[in-house]
Amino acid sequence: MAPPVEMPAPHLTVVPPAPAEAPKPAAGTASETKGASAEGASAAGSKTRAPSPAAAPAGGDGARSGMDVEVLARNLAQMMEEGGKAMAAYLTPRHPGKTDDMAEDIADALKTVSHVAEYWMADPQRTVEAQSRLMAGYLSVWANTMKRLAGEEVAPVTKPDARDARFKDQGWNDSPIFDALKQAYLVTAKWAEDMVEEAEGLDPHLKHKAEFLVRQVSNAISPSNFVMTNPELIRETMSSSGENLVKGMRNLTADLIEGKGTLKIRQTDTSAFEVGRNLATTPGKVIFENELMQLIQYEAATASVKKTPLLIVPPWINKFYILDLTAEKSFIKWLVDQGVSVFVISWVNPDARLAAKGFDDYMREGIMTALDQVAIATGERQAHAMGYCVGGTLLATTLAYMAATGDDRIASATFLTTQIDFTHAGDLKVFVDEEQLASIERKMKDMGYLEGSKMASAFNLLRSNDLIWPYVVNNYMKGRAPFPFDLLFWNADSTRMPAANHSFYLRNCYLTNNIARGLAELGGVRIDVHKISVPVYSLATKEDHIAPPNSVYIGANLLSGPVRYVLAGSGHIAGVVNPPARGKYQYWADGPTGPSFDLWLEGARESAGSWWPDWISWFSAQHPDEVPARAIGGDRLTPIEDAPGRYVRARS
């Protein structure tokens, strides 16, 4: 069920401010690009906003006052011309006989939804009851609308969630017609969700897929996504005499050209950022490299440093500099400023030559080779390790492998939004079943890797009302350029994944949960995560749709050593990338131990602000000894190049 449009890389759950609000850069994520208000940054304010038309009801004198009919006619003609260019940009890369990637996805979606339809159509009485329920909702909306048009004040039949940014424009409430359109849409969306929820006898995975698909269709057909059914867009079009539509069509053409015929929706102004210039600027050197990774050591910023160094294992699905954005948001810089000797793996952006590289290769040539080099550079046999997302999953399997082979070089482990048990892995599981995996593996076999945009799209579909449709409206209907936002630049900087590695990950984590069950093997060794006994700090984030907090909690409870489980506010990126100086969000800790996440949360202590200070206190207690600041490479390894290195700059 690969998504139909090319979107920026996963993770990625920040939720930035809606584009129409002209977001200003702030810490959040890919998802951060996540959880609309919870994950993203705040709106910038009038200085960064494009002038907006008067807030007159759509179709009224205020809407007409700025319209020049002749200019509108010319703009509509120009829009049609630009539309031809967009169509050419879509068709040019295609050739006869080429199979569209969407064909299998559409077939799978229709097959899934048909199972729900069969349930309701199998019993005529159920069919009538379902239709009657929908019609009753429409009649209630119609009756209320007639009363409003007659001057009565009536309570709405239904209303959107207070956090739903799609209907925040006052025109949706002021106009009885647009209010009726909004309510009819909400009635339909709720009815469709109920049809799936109440369908009995469906396979749980099939039902989960159907719920996800219905939600995606509902999000796509929202009246807020179309010019003629959105009062704000009508005002915009009238006040600019259609110039917004011309600009929007140009943006559409540009995005189709950029995506080589696939719609690559821009979420930010990518020209505003450059890795190594205003992102990933913490001073350091690449001290080692092989075909899978570069190892970066960062310059000490304090006179003394922690004796035991820290190795960070980022996800290979994204690039490591999510932890080293601007200086104000950089977790890596903050660590260095706290006196931590920091080493970071920067994974290669692989191509077909690395198709056979598997999970065990990433363990041996990634983490274990990096540990060898850290020991050479520092003279310390042991190191602490930190893994983020799938980097944490790899770290957990490596720790289990090391426990089985008697390797104790990792002194403690920190897991950031890391799943070890995938029983409750959330909506990403809708993309993983045997049929879909077989399709993915066929495509990877042909190319040798999975395009980063494919998995990126899946992550963005988890929050399509935050990460897709607001940008469709902003870019193509309002005709505005996306606002510069560093997290979204990173989110769009996707990476490829080697076929063997990605297949192992999907099958042993999402499909079979073999890692948690002790049935997976790495390097010929059966992996048993219960044997992990080192001290662990496990961080989850409350609104994470990629690594749900309950899933992270269950995985942490599989480990045998002492575990400090902490829950941060916000989502997968915003909750992690949360510098203390910003004073945002909160975290929970010290809940009662046991198998129940809900009981843990009920008894946990809430603290305001970032989790970073809590982590440094825990980390410093593990091995408190300090030594004089170390030179990069320790006079044993010759630096290859300045951080952030070549690997992270390679674009997909």
Side-chain angles (χ1 to χ4, degrees):
M1 235 170 63
V5 296
E6 182 171 327
M7 294 294 296
H11 264 6
L12 245 30
T13 322
V14 269
V15 175
E21 291 298 318
K24 68 179 176 182
T29 147
S31 212
E32 291 18 24
T33 327
K34 162 194 233 107
S37 55
E39 300 262 330
S42 57
S46 59
K47 290 194 218 174
T48 57
R49 296 190 59 173
S52 59
D61 291 341
R64 289 195 299 264
S65 61
M67 184 178 68
D68 184 314
V69 177
E70 291 186 11
V71 174
L72 176 63
R74 288 198 300 270
N75 280 334
L76 290 178
Q78 190 172 357
M79 182 189 73
M80 296 300 293
E81 181 182 345
E82 293 293 336
K85 296 177 182 178
M87 180 60 70
Y90 171 76
L91 294 174
T92 298
R94 287 163 170 76
H95 54 80
K98 179 182 177 182
T99 301
D100 197 318
D101 285 345
M102 291 178 60
E104 291 185 13
D105 304 330
I106 293 172
D108 181 74
L110 291 175
K111 180 180 176 181
T112 299
V113 175
S114 69
H115 286 285
V116 179
E118 286 172 7
Y119 169 80
W120 289 100
M121 296 177 69
D123 185 336
Q125 184 176 350
R126 275 202 302 258
T127 304
V128 171
E129 289 175 354
Q131 292 173 340
S132 298
R133 191 189 313 179
L134 180 61
M135 293 310 299
Y138 288 158
L139 288 172
S140 297
V141 172
W142 176 258
N144 274 18
T145 302
M146 293 300 101
K147 291 177 182 179
R148 283 199 64 187
L149 289 170
E152 286 188 52
E153 289 188 10
V154 292
V157 174
T158 183
K159 55 184 179 179
D161 187 279
R163 296 170 297 178
D164 191 340
R166 295 175 297 175
F167 304 107
K168 64 183 177 180
D169 186 82
Q170 194 59 34
W172 292 107
N173 300 318
D174 291 346
S175 166
I177 302 303
F178 283 108
D179 184 44
L181 187 61
K182 172 187 67 180
Q183 291 190 65
Y185 162 74
L186 294 173
V187 165
T188 306
K190 180 64 167 61
W191 175 83
E193 291 173 3
D194 290 344
M195 291 301 97
V196 178
E197 176 63 29
E198 297 171 16
E200 298 176 359
L202 295 182
D203 173 79
H205 175 69
L206 184 74
K207 192 168 190 175
H208 190 184
K209 283 175 66 176
E211 290 170 345
F212 183 82
L213 285 166
V214 165
R215 188 162 65 249
Q216 297 309 314
V217 172
S218 295
N219 292 346
I221 65 173
S222 170
S224 59
N225 296 334
F226 304 94
V227 173
M228 298 309 296
T229 54
N230 184 329
E232 183 183 8
L233 292 177
I234 290 175
R235 289 201 311 272
E236 183 101 11
T237 301
M238 294 302 180
S239 66
S240 70
S241 300
E243 185 178 355
N244 59 308
L245 301 180
V246 177
K247 292 179 178 178
M249 196 61 71
R250 287 173 181 160
N251 288 342
L252 177 63
T253 302
D255 288 352
L256 284 167
I257 292 173
E258 175 69 19
K260 296 179 174 61
T262 299
L263 182 56
K264 187 173 184 179
I265 304 173
R266 286 174 298 147
Q267 294 177 321
T268 187
D269 177 6
T270 57
S271 66
F273 302 102
E274 182 183 347
V275 175
R277 177 175 61 84
N278 53 4
L279 298 175
T281 59
T282 301
K285 302 284 185 182
V286 174
I287 60 170
F288 174 84
E289 67 181 36
N290 59 26
E291 60 182 353
L292 277 186
M293 62 92 176
Q294 288 189 317
L295 181 65
I296 301 171
Q297 181 180 1
Y298 289 92
E299 292 181 6
T302 53
S304 61
V305 296
K306 298 290 188 292
K307 185 173 186 290
T308 307
L310 173 68
L311 172 65
I312 298 178
V313 184
W316 56 86
I317 292 171
N318 305 108
K319 296 185 177 180
F320 82 87
Y321 67 88
I322 185 59
L323 297 176
D324 189 25
L325 289 169
T326 61
E328 295 76 18
K329 297 178 188 175
S330 173
F331 182 54
I332 289 173
K333 181 180 185 301
W334 185 85
L335 290 173
V336 171
D337 289 343
Q338 306 306 306
V340 180
S341 288
V342 179
F343 294 78
V344 173
I345 290 174
S346 174
W347 299 108
V348 73
N349 195 350
D351 56 24
R353 292 171 296 179
L354 300 179
K357 293 293 184 181
F359 223 70
D360 50 353
D361 295 303
Y362 272 67
M363 175 186 73
R364 287 191 296 258
E365 299 175 36
I367 293 179
M368 300 187 80
T369 296
L371 287 171
D372 293 338
Q373 303 307 313
V374 169
I376 293 171
T378 64
E380 296 295 325
R381 191 180 68 83
Q382 284 193 316
H384 301 286
M386 173 183 286
Y388 193 177
C389 191
V390 66
T393 305
L394 176 65
L395 175 60
T397 57
T398 301
L399 282 164
Y401 178 91
M402 295 171 77
T405 57
D407 188 339
D408 66 347
R409 286 180 294 163
I410 294 181
S412 77
T414 296
F415 297 117
L416 306 180
T417 62
T418 292
Q419 293 179 101
I420 299 172
D421 184 291
F422 285 75
T423 304
H424 303 287
D427 282 346
L428 278 176
K429 294 190 77 172
V430 305
F431 297 103
V432 183
D433 53 42
E434 189 59 52
E435 189 173 344
Q436 291 183 91
L437 274 182
S439 174
I440 291 172
E441 288 172 342
R442 283 196 302 271
K443 295 171 184 176
M444 290 195 298
K445 184 178 180 180
D446 292 339
M447 300 185 70
Y449 56 85
L450 181 74
E451 279 285 0
S453 60
K454 299 299 182 184
M455 196 153 189
S457 297
F459 281 101
N460 282 281
L461 281 172
L462 299 183
R463 305 300 298 244
S464 60
N465 273 344
D466 300 313
L467 302 178
I468 297 178
W469 299 111
Y471 296 95
V472 169
V473 171
N474 182 76
N475 298 4
Y476 309 139
M477 298 177 197
K478 293 184 177 180
R480 299 178 184 173
F483 194 85
F485 191 27
D486 54 359
L487 286 171
L488 290 178
F489 176 89
W490 167 84
N491 194 45
D493 195 3
S494 59
T495 59
R496 297 177 289 265
M497 283 146 277
N501 182 36
H502 197 55
S503 180
F504 180 95
Y505 172 55
L506 293 180
R507 288 190 172 277
N508 287 277
C509 294
Y510 285 96
L511 184 64
T512 63
N513 202 25
N514 277 345
I515 288 175
R517 296 165 60 206
L519 300 177
E521 288 190 2
L522 285 182
V525 175
R526 183 68 64 88
I527 297 302
D528 184 357
V529 294
H530 294 87
K531 293 182 179 180
I532 299 173
S533 59
V534 299
V536 165
Y537 188 104
S538 180
L539 178 81
T541 53
K542 193 172 186 182
E543 297 169 20
D544 199 331
H545 285 64
I546 295 172
N550 182 43
S551 182
V552 174
Y553 185 84
I554 291 171
N557 271 274
L558 296 177
L559 312 180
S560 299
V563 176
R564 179 167 178 77
Y565 178 85
V566 175
L567 179 67
S570 194
H572 193 76
I573 302 299
V576 174
V577 185
N578 183 28
R582 299 180 66 232
K584 292 191 68 175
Y585 311 129
Q586 67 284 96
Y587 66 93
W588 293 262
D590 303 318
T593 58
S596 172
F597 169 74
D598 291 333
L599 289 178
W600 179 91
L601 183 58
E602 184 178 335
R605 172 180 50 85
E606 180 179 348
S607 300
S610 173
W611 60 274
W612 294 8
D614 181 77
W615 179 85
I616 197 68
S617 296
W618 173 87
F619 177 79
S620 298
Q622 302 307 311
H623 291 84
D625 295 345
E626 297 193 356
V627 295
R630 300 179 170 106
I632 288 182
D635 296 327
R636 302 177 190 89
L637 296 175
T638 302
I640 298 170
E641 60 180 326
D642 290 339
R646 305 186 316 282
Y647 285 14
V648 76
R649 288 186 169 96
R651 304 297 296 267
S652 296

